[in-house]
Amino acid sequence: GMTAMLVKNPKAFSETAIDGEVVLLNLRDGTFFSLTGTAALIWPLLDGTRSRTALLAELARTHGEAEAVIAPDLDVFLNQLAKVGFIAGA
């Protein structure tokens, strides 16, 4: 839902930062996700204190972009994370 808090599921992945890029290893199937651009900005904000709505507002505020511009990227990313089980609450 829109108002559910988005929480990472630390048992599902292992996280490494390389040169400012975040690399996530899916512990279930051994696949890697490289987070760049918007995804790399969103990932640290998924700390359990924000809903999708709050996340969108924060990104809009910090990047001076309209929420409508950011929303599609955000939703694609959140859907990907939810699909592989890296976050709960989406």
Side-chain angles (χ1 to χ4, degrees), residues 29-85:
D29 63 10
T31 54
F32 286 93
F33 289 78
S34 168
L35 306 187
T36 56
T38 310
L41 301 170
I42 296 166
W43 183 248
L45 298 175
L46 294 169
D47 59 4
T49 68
R50 293 177 183 84
S51 63
R52 176 194 174 275
T53 309
L55 204 55
L56 195 53
E58 174 79 5
L59 289 166
R61 189 180 62 76
T62 52
H63 300 287
E65 291 267 19
E67 289 191 12
V69 173
I70 298 169
D73 284 345
L74 176 62
D75 287 339
V76 166
F77 182 51
L78 292 178
N79 286 335
Q80 285 175 330
L81 291 177
K83 200 161 62 186
V84 294

Side-chain angles (χ1 to χ4, degrees), residues 8-15 24-27 43 85-87:
K8 291 176 187 172
N9 176 12
K11 291 192 290 289
F13 63 87
S14 141
E15 181 176 343
L24 304 176
L25 167 63
N26 186 333
L27 297 177
W43 183 248
F86 287 8
I87 57 170

